[in-house]
C-alpha cells in the first residue's frame, strides 16, 4: 500500500499541490496532512503516518524537505523504514528505494554524509592539537549559558517536558542534555555534603565595667 505524507511550510500554506501529486502517485485516500499551524518541533501527523506503515508499504512524499530538514534525521528515518521493510519514494528527488538505482543513490548520499562527519572530526582534532602545541586549551565552546542550563533543569524537574522536547528547544543533543542534568545532580550532592558555612551573628561586646 502507498501512504502519502504532506507538510506545509512557511512559504507554502496550501497543501493542494502536494496532495494532487501524491494522489497521482497512487496514494489515493491514504494521505496524512501536517498543517502549518502545527508547532515546529512537533509533527503528530508524521508520527501517525509512521505508526500506520507496515512491512511492504511505501511512504510517498512530495520532496525530502517535507519529511525533515536535517540530513542525519532523514538518513536515520530511512534506515528505520528499511529495517521495517518499508520503502520511501520522493516525487521530486532521485530517491526511490523500491528500485535498485534508488537504493544505490541513497546509500551513496549516506556514505557522503558519513565522510563529511569524518572530515569535520579530523579537522577538529588537528585544530585541538595545534592549540595545545601553542599552550592553549582547545575544545568546543559551551552550547548553553548559565541561565539556559538553569532553565533546562527547571523544565526537566517540572515533569511536563520530555528530554527530546527540551533538547529541541535549546538545539542541543540528548547527550548534552543529560550531561547538564548529571552536573546539576553532582552539584546538589556536593552542597549536601559540604554545606556553606553559616555566618556567625555579631555578638555585642560588653562595655568595660558593665555588669
Amino acid at each position: 500500500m502507498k501512504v502519502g505524507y504532506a507538510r506545509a511550510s512557511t512559504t507554502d500554506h496550501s497543501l493542494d499541490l502536494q496532495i494532487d501529486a501524491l494522489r497521482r502517485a497512487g496514494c489515493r485516500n491514504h494521505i496524512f496532512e501536517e498543517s502549518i499551524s502545527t508547532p515546529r518541533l512537533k509533527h503528530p501527523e508524521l508520527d501517525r503516518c509512521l505508526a500506520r506503515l507496515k512491512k511492504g508499504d511505501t511512504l510517498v512524499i512530495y520532496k525530502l524537505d517535507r519529511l525533515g530538514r536535517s540530513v542525519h534525521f532523514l538518513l536515520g528515518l530511512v534506515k528505520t523504514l528499511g529495517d521495517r521493510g518499508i520503502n520511501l519514494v520522493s516525487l521530486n528527488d532521485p530517491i526511490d528505494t523500491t528500485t535498485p538505482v534508488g537504493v544505490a543513490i541513497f546509500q551513496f548520499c549516506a556514505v557522503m554524509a558519513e565522510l563529511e562527519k569524518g572530515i569535520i572530526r579530523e579537522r577538529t582534532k588537528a585544530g585541538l592539537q595545534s592549540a595545545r602545541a601553542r599552550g592553549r586549551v582547545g575544545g568546543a565552546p559551551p552550547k548553553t549559558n548559565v541561565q539556559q542550563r538553569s532553565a533546562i533543569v527547571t523544565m526537566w524537574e517540572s515533569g511536563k517536558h520530555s528530554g527530546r522536547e527540551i533538547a529541541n528547544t535549546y538545539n542541543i543533543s540528548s547527550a548534552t542534555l543529560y550531561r547538564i542534568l548529571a552536573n546539576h545532580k553532582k552539584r546538589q550532592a556536593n552542597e549536601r555534603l559540604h554545606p556553606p558555612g553559616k555566618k556567625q551573628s555579631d555578638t555585642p561586646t560588653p562595655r568595660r565595667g558593665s555588669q
Side-chain angles (χ1 to χ4, degrees):
M1 179 176 68
K2 291 184 178 181
V3 177
Y5 172 72
R7 181 170 66 87
S9 68
T10 54
T11 58
D12 179 19
H13 294 270
S14 174
L15 292 173
D16 292 345
L17 178 65
Q18 296 181 54
I19 293 173
D20 289 344
L22 293 174
R23 285 175 177 167
R24 287 194 299 269
C27 295
R28 306 301 178 188
N29 298 323
H30 303 288
I31 298 177
F32 291 82
E33 304 175 24
E34 203 82 74
S35 170
I36 188 63
S37 61
T38 304
R40 181 175 64 88
L41 299 178
K42 297 182 179 179
H43 301 115
E45 290 303 307
L46 176 58
D47 293 337
R48 288 183 59 229
C49 176
L50 297 175
R52 173 74 176 273
L53 291 165
K54 301 184 297 296
K55 184 176 181 179
D57 288 346
T58 298
L59 173 61
V60 185
I61 54 176
Y62 185 71
K63 290 181 66 177
L64 275 177
D65 63 2
R66 298 303 85 209
L67 192 59
R69 295 186 180 277
S70 166
V71 173
H72 298 297
F73 170 79
L74 289 172
L75 291 173
L77 178 56
V78 174
K79 183 180 185 303
T80 299
L81 292 174
D83 292 342
R84 294 174 55 191
I86 299 167
N87 294 306
L88 172 66
V89 172
S90 177
L91 300 178
N92 287 278
D93 299 290
I95 304 297
D96 182 353
T97 59
T98 63
T99 68
V101 174
V103 172
I105 291 175
F106 187 82
Q107 289 176 341
F108 175 76
C109 292
V111 169
M112 294 305 295
E114 288 300 318
L115 177 61
E116 181 184 16
K117 287 169 58 179
I119 292 174
I120 292 174
R121 282 195 298 267
E122 288 301 319
R123 287 177 177 173
T124 302
K125 183 178 179 181
L128 292 174
Q129 291 175 343
S130 177
R132 293 191 188 100
R134 289 170 173 77
R136 299 195 302 271
V137 178
K143 296 184 178 180
T144 55
N145 55 38
V146 174
Q147 291 78 11
Q148 289 173 329
R149 290 192 288 274
S150 177
I152 287 170
V153 171
T154 300
M155 289 177 68
W156 176 262
E157 292 182 341
S158 72
K160 298 179 180 179
H161 308 276
S162 68
R164 176 178 292 184
E165 288 175 340
I166 299 173
N168 288 338
T169 299
Y170 288 93
N171 194 28
I172 58 177
S173 66
S174 297
T176 299
L177 167 65
Y178 292 116
R179 185 161 55 248
I180 291 172
L181 297 175
N183 288 338
H184 173 69
K185 290 183 178 180
K186 188 182 296 184
R187 285 194 298 271
Q188 285 184 321
N190 287 335
E191 289 174 359
R192 285 194 294 267
L193 291 174
H194 307 287
K198 294 182 179 179
K199 183 179 180 181
Q200 296 181 350
S201 58
D202 294 334
T203 303
T205 303
R207 294 180 181 180
R208 180 176 299 178
S210 61
Q211 297 298 325

